[in-house]
Amino acid sequence: MNDPALVLVAHGTRSSRGVEMIAALAEAVSARVGETRVAFVDVLGPSPQDVLTELDAPAVVVPAFLASGYHVHHDVHGAAAQFPGAVVTPALGPDPVLAQVLRERLVEAGWTPGDAVVLAAAGSSDPRALADVRRSAAMLASLLDQRVRIGYVATGTPTVGDAVRGAREDGASRVFVASYLLAHGLFHERLFDAGADGVTQPLGVHPRIVDLVAARHDRAAVLTRS
């Protein structure tokens, strides 16, 4: 039996660069696991229901989200529940792999040990998602061996700008924003207005993230064969 197709479900963005980044991630994953399709829960299509209907076969659905809030619990799981052959994996985050990539992105942006760090997340009204962001910040703090503040781009407090100002008020001479976003888009662009000394690139198409998505698929694929 062939491995089930992978459906990578992202939020969606009006940024062509962001859409291209998700497509590139799917292409890189497909080289590892076979057929990989992309779906979006907002802004643009196709929707998860559209893709799963077209496949009409067992599928592994991987939520390309860094925290599990409304979109994961309602949109992704709700769509997959309509298709008996679909298995939903955990979201990409929180995961130690993401902390490792965040550290690499910080170094690329010019961060050095001791510079203050703000983890910039999209935010959510769902407490489960906010708890996931706190876990991610703790993982990064452990890896960096220093405090990591949290700031939110869209929903939640403190904002990224407030978190940067808070770090400076506490005496930090340099502050770096670690973009806890998967792809380019409006949210990422907003980070450059936060007053930090540097902003990392989104997590993006990193080999470790490709490995993470592929591992999510491979573990769940077993369930589609049972």
Side-chain angles (χ1 to χ4, degrees), residues 24-57:
L25 176 60
E27 183 178 359
V29 170
S30 70
R32 293 278 305 278
V33 305
E35 183 179 7
T36 301
R37 304 282 294 276
V38 174
F40 300 98
V41 298
D42 200 3
V43 183
L44 70 163
S47 70
Q49 293 96 325
D50 293 337
V51 173
L52 290 169
T53 298
E54 291 174 2
L55 286 172
D56 191 28

Side-chain angles (χ1 to χ4, degrees), residues 181-193:
L181 302 169
L182 187 60
H184 285 279
L186 176 61
F187 286 175
H188 182 74
E189 292 305 314
R190 289 179 181 173
L191 302 183
F192 293 94
D193 297 326

Side-chain angles (χ1 to χ4, degrees), residues 128-151:
R128 294 169 294 186
L130 300 181
D132 282 350
V133 173
R134 290 193 293 272
R135 286 180 58 201
S136 297
M139 290 177 185
L140 181 59
S142 178
L143 193 61
L144 300 180
D145 195 25
Q146 68 176 68
R147 178 184 180 182
V148 171
R149 298 170 183 265
I150 297 172

Side-chain angles (χ1 to χ4, degrees), residues 113-176:
D115 294 335
V117 173
V118 173
L119 183 71
S124 174
S125 58
D126 190 320
R128 294 169 294 186
L130 300 181
D132 282 350
V133 173
R134 290 193 293 272
R135 286 180 58 201
S136 297
M139 290 177 185
L140 181 59
S142 178
L143 193 61
L144 300 180
D145 195 25
Q146 68 176 68
R147 178 184 180 182
V148 171
R149 298 170 183 265
I150 297 172
Y152 296 103
V153 186
T155 305
T157 57
T159 66
V160 177
D162 287 343
V164 170
R165 284 188 289 274
R168 295 204 189 281
E169 290 169 359
D170 285 347
S173 57
R174 297 212 310 165
V175 183
F176 283 78

